[in-house]
Amino acid sequence: MTRRSIGIIVNGVTGRMGYRQHLVRSLLAIRESGGVALADGTTIWPEPVLVGRNETKLRELAERHGLTDWTTDLTSALARDDVDIYFDAQVTQQREKAIRQAIEAGKHIYTEKPLAEDTAAALDLARAADAAGVRTGVVQDKLFLPGLRKLKRLIDGGFFGRILSVRGEFGYWVFEGDWQPAQRPSWNYRTEDGGGIVVDMFPHWHYVLEELFGRVTAVSCVTATHVPERVDEAGHPYAATADDAAYATFELDGGVIAQINSSWAVRVYRDELVEFQVDGTEGSAIAGLRNCRVQHRAVTPKPVWNPDLPATEDFRAQWAEVPDNEEFDNGFKVQWEAYLRHVVSGEPFRWDFLAGARGVQLAELGLRSAREGGRIEVPELRS
Ligand SMILES: NC(=O)c1ccc[n+]([C@@H]2O[C@H](COP(=O)([O-])OP(=O)(O)OC[C@H]3O[C@@H](n4cnc5c(N)ncnc54)[C@H](O)[C@@H]3O)[C@@H](O)[C@H]2O)c1
């Protein structure tokens, strides 16, 4: 068995996503499970090069995991011959500049979403990466979650008949930061720092809708900043200038209508932090991050509207759980493995910069719809 080491810059590794999901739950977890095995017997072995701004944090983080390769100097890391991949989990605003540098250095690039702050920049990155012949990828983790994998299985098996509509409910209460610390970084609530729920979540909704149900052809969106003042990590009050809720309707190729509410100012009365209800002529499903329940047409009850009588049926009990039937690994790790196989052995990987640019485009048009107060068609993006 040959082991192929592959140097990976992890920039923004001190952040929430960079550390937990990408370093610990993906790259280090891949090493713990023996690397990524290829069909020819080769094993891909990720060698993380930790990059960040704060020397103390980097050193402490590296020592915690027995790693020694870290630096605050991105340029010198990009100049190394033993580095093949640049990965970016920095705050969104810092991404474009760093990715351009990585393209110039001839590295393959994988990145957190959103790829860039606007469609023109995202498309430009896709074209520049193509011209440089480097292999790109954008995180689309939700596709690899058990709940959505089971939903995809139902779609592929023809469970729904003709799919009519999708209702997505995403959100939870993000504390304002005064009497309890906020559970998300404060930059998310400032437009000037690249924050906002549309920019954050629409790239996710884009790939979920496109991969499962069809291309998004139009968007109508209303946004709100329900909590206009918050308190930051240092205890200072600040003006929350970004949208913290978005109420959107997406029209899809084939006639499916999707409505998704996204909010950081809602309390959870659901089983999971995100749930999608899909209704079709033959059956319906509710998929969350982990679980998926179904109701077939044959067991659909026939409620009659009568507000004078109390509800007699236990509607929630009328749904059946879809079994796992397989083992689901961490979604970020599964996508990392696919990307590494793509880089090393050229296996197909469709979640590239162009796919990422389409996610950025949907966020941009969602915000435009909210600003202008109307329905916006989504033109097809091409490289
Ligand atoms: N895929 C997902 O589900 C998901 C979830 C949350 C966030 N994200 C994305 O991941 C990225 C990071 O988000 P996060 O929640 O980990 O944020 P975070 O604030 O926890 O981490 C940000 C990282 O960027 C670094 N950084 C570099 N330059 C900076 C600057 N000028 N100001 C502040 N920080 C700077 C920080 O040191 C830190 O390592 C964002 O682009 C976000 O959209 C993705």
Side-chain angles (χ1 to χ4, degrees):
M1 193 180 73
T2 3
R3 183 193 266 194
R4 162 91 193 270
S5 287
I6 185 148
I8 305 173
I9 291 175
V10 186
N11 195 10
V13 70
T14 58
R16 269 185 342 144
M17 300 309 294
Y19 177 64
R20 185 85 209 133
Q21 294 303 339
H22 293 287
L23 182 69
V24 177
R25 303 275 281 140
S26 296
L27 297 174
L28 297 183
I30 287 172
R31 284 158 57 123
E32 272 158 33
S33 58
V36 181
L38 297 179
D40 68 359
T42 311
T43 301
I44 308 172
W45 189 255
E47 290 287 1
V49 179
L50 312 184
V51 175
R53 300 172 300 164
N54 184 321
E55 219 176 287
T56 314
K57 279 194 198 164
L58 282 174
R59 182 182 302 110
E60 191 275 324
L61 193 155
E63 279 170 5
R64 197 183 316 151
H65 295 283
L67 300 170
T68 50
D69 207 346
W70 57 266
T71 178
T72 53
D73 183 356
L74 175 62
T75 307
S76 71
L78 284 170
R80 282 169 51 171
D81 289 336
D82 61 346
V83 165
D84 306 278
I85 295 173
Y86 171 76
F87 171 67
D88 194 301
Q90 297 186 95
V91 288
T92 310
Q93 275 191 332
Q94 299 299 317
R95 183 158 299 139
E96 183 189 339
K97 187 176 58 171
I99 288 182
R100 281 195 197 283
Q101 224 184 317
I103 294 173
E104 273 161 34
K107 305 301 179 194
H108 302 296
I109 301 159
Y110 188 49
T111 180
E112 258 299 350
K113 46 51 62 179
L115 171 57
E117 288 191 277
D118 58 65
T119 313
L123 205 51
D124 195 53
L125 288 179
R127 288 172 181 153
D130 256 7
V134 300
R135 295 183 174 172
T136 63
V138 177
V139 172
Q140 303 201 341
D141 53 291
K142 309 289 177 277
L143 293 177
F144 303 89
L145 289 167
L148 292 192
R149 293 274 301 277
K150 287 184 269 189
L151 179 57
K152 175 82 166 83
R153 194 200 287 157
L154 293 173
I155 294 169
D156 293 346
F159 170 78
F160 293 102
R162 184 165 59 85
I163 295 178
L164 310 172
S165 64
V166 179
R167 258 154 253 260
E169 196 63 53
F170 163 83
Y172 47 93
W173 191 266
V174 176
F175 279 89
E176 299 88 330
D178 46 2
W179 66 291
Q180 292 189 54
Q183 68 271 42
R184 291 175 54 79
S186 59
W187 64 265
N188 283 282
Y189 302 90
R190 292 187 293 263
T191 308
E192 61 277 23
D193 290 337
I197 203 163
V198 169
V199 168
D200 193 47
M201 296 314 296
F202 278 31
H204 290 298
W205 306 152
H206 175 266
Y207 64 72
V208 166
L209 293 173
E210 184 172 89
E211 292 252 341
L212 270 62
F213 307 104
R215 196 181 89 73
V216 181
T217 56
V219 56
S220 313
C221 179
V222 174
T223 58
T225 304
H226 291 304
V227 180
E229 189 176 287
R230 291 178 172 270
V231 175
D232 70 14
E233 291 78 357
H236 302 130
Y238 65 94
T241 47
D243 44 291
D244 58 14
Y247 307 90
T249 305
F250 305 95
E251 293 164 49
L252 312 187
D253 243 357
V256 177
I257 307 290
Q259 265 184 303
I260 305 183
N261 294 327
S262 316
S263 178
W264 289 317
V266 67
R267 295 187 175 87
V268 180
Y269 186 68
R270 270 174 263 130
D271 293 328
E272 305 201 52
L273 296 191
V274 64
E275 284 183 342
F276 297 96
Q277 171 161 345
V278 181
D279 288 294
T281 51
E282 298 293 310
S284 298
I286 312 261
L289 302 173
R290 306 206 68 84
N291 299 319
C292 185
R293 261 153 292 161
V294 288
Q295 183 172 98
H296 190 259
R297 151 179 218 257
V299 295
T300 302
K302 195 194 257 183
V304 175
W305 176 256
N306 185 350
D308 298 329
L309 295 177
T312 50
E313 298 199 60
D314 182 357
F315 291 113
R316 282 177 185 270
Q318 294 163 347
W319 295 71
E321 198 69 47
V322 177
D324 282 0
N325 289 356
E326 62 183 292
E327 287 218 0
F328 295 106
D329 206 345
N330 176 287
F332 290 89
K333 176 170 175 257
V334 175
Q335 200 185 354
W336 260 108
E337 289 169 344
Y339 178 70
L340 290 174
R341 283 195 295 268
H342 173 59
V343 166
V344 174
S345 66
E347 280 186 28
F349 185 89
R350 62 179 179 282
W351 310 289
D352 59 6
F353 275 10
L354 187 60
R358 292 200 294 270
V360 173
Q361 179 198 34
L362 189 62
E364 190 171 290
L365 296 180
L367 285 173
R368 200 174 115 202
S369 158
R371 234 180 8 253
E372 296 174 1
R375 169 183 178 278
I376 309 266
E377 304 231 342
V378 180
E380 210 160 336
L381 271 196
R382 295 187 196 282
S383 54

